[in-house]
């Protein structure tokens, strides 16, 4: 990883304490730390030193080109200061020293979780390799079963200021507004651009 301070760029590697040079996600928390998700697990950087945060291992996703048992796809700090890790073993929620897991036993069709967002309502929308889920009051609901006839993988998700949920799935981008689903597609047929990231400016 690299960071820019003024005009100076500093590079940080495994030799500096980073758990792996194969970095997939960076998230700052409210205490000034940077949480780093890699192919080999999680590092936390306090501005000077790295510490490693151990999570239980998952499985290798054989449907994608790069995967590992310790893959971290995304990290979120919620409004209560809890840290959510999206992994190949489900979701892990770090709440001070406690660690909670949400996995197949809670209703996921798969443990391959790509991303979690906290909505304006204080609920959590979760995208996984097999569906879209809502986590509310400790309960998991499979939202995608009502949206699609067959199970689909959801790659990325975000919420707009008016509460609409946007997510990508295959070669389409979808908007979920008041339980109404709208599909946006650049080209018809089986070919066309694949969306990997959705960003609100």
């Amino acid at each position: 990883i690299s960071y820019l301070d003024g005009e100076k760029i500093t590079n940080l590697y495994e030799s500096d304490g980073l758990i792996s040079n194969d970095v997939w996600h960076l998230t700052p928390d409210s205490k000034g730390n940077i949480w780093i998700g890699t192919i080999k697990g999680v590092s936390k950087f306090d501005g000077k030193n790295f510490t490693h945060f151990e999570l239980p291992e998952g499985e290798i996703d054989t449907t994608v080109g790069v995967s590992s048992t310790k893959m971290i796809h995304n990290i979120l700090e919620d409004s209560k200061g809890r840290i959510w890790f999206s992994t190949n073993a489900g979701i892990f929620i770090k709440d001070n020293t406690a660690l909670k897991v949400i996995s197949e036993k809670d209703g996921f069709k798969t443990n391959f979780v790509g991303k979690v967002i906290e909505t304006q309502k204080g609920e959590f929308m979760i995208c996984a390799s097999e569906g879209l889920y809502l986590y509310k009051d400790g309960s998991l609901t499979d939202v995608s079963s009502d949206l699609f006839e067959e199970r689909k993988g959801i790659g990325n998700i975000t919420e707009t200021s008016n509460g609409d949920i946007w997510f990508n799935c295959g070669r389409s981008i979808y908007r979920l507004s008041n339980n109404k689903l709208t599909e946006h597609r650049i080209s018809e047929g089986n070919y066309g651009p694949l969306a990997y990231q959705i960003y609100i400016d």
Side-chain angles (χ1 to χ4, degrees):
I1 60 175
S2 304
Y3 66 89
L4 178 66
D5 184 4
E7 296 183 352
K8 180 184 176 182
I9 295 177
T10 301
N11 302 314
L12 300 169
Y13 305 96
E14 290 178 18
S15 56
D16 299 299
L18 181 63
I19 196 169
S20 171
N21 289 335
D22 197 342
V23 175
W24 286 71
H25 190 76
L26 302 171
T27 292
D29 69 15
S30 55
K31 298 177 181 177
N33 301 302
I34 303 293
W35 292 86
I36 305 152
T38 79
I39 199 169
K40 295 182 180 177
V42 181
S43 289
K44 183 177 73 171
F45 185 61
D46 64 5
K48 294 181 179 180
N49 300 302
F50 288 98
T51 55
H52 305 316
F53 185 70
E54 291 292 329
L55 292 171
E57 290 191 45
E59 298 178 1
I60 292 176
D61 185 353
T62 58
T63 66
V64 295
V66 179
S67 187
S68 80
T69 60
K70 295 184 177 183
M71 181 74 99
I72 307 296
H73 298 283
N74 197 272
I75 304 172
L76 163 78
E77 182 184 29
D78 69 15
S79 58
K80 296 180 180 178
R82 300 174 299 186
I83 307 294
W84 296 58
F85 303 97
S86 300
T87 78
N88 283 355
I91 295 172
F92 294 96
I93 307 169
K94 180 184 180 300
D95 188 1
N96 294 319
T97 58
L99 188 67
K100 176 181 174 61
V101 61
I102 308 172
S103 62
E104 287 179 323
K105 63 180 177 58
D106 300 293
F108 278 133
K109 302 300 182 186
T110 174
N111 280 334
F112 300 135
V113 177
K115 185 177 180 181
V116 181
I117 63 166
E118 183 176 9
T119 69
Q120 298 168 41
K121 296 178 180 178
E123 303 168 350
F124 297 90
M125 296 293 293
I126 304 164
C127 58
S129 66
E130 291 191 24
L132 182 66
Y133 299 84
L134 173 68
Y135 187 72
K136 177 182 177 182
D137 299 328
S139 179
L140 192 68
T141 303
D142 181 358
V143 176
S144 54
S145 62
D146 293 330
L147 301 177
F148 302 107
E149 292 181 2
E150 58 184 55
R151 190 157 298 283
K152 297 186 178 185
I154 312 298
N156 204 289
I157 186 170
T158 193
E159 182 186 29
T160 60
S161 58
N162 66 350
D164 289 354
I165 301 294
W166 287 78
F167 60 92
N168 66 310
C169 178
R171 298 184 185 276
S172 297
I173 297 171
Y174 293 89
R175 178 181 61 151
L176 184 60
S177 179
N178 296 320
N179 296 319
K180 180 184 177 183
L181 188 67
T182 305
E183 180 180 9
H184 300 274
R185 194 179 180 98
I186 295 175
S187 62
E188 297 298 327
N190 294 325
Y191 300 98
L194 280 168
Y196 285 93
Q197 182 74 26
I198 302 174
Y199 173 78
I200 299 175
D201 67 13

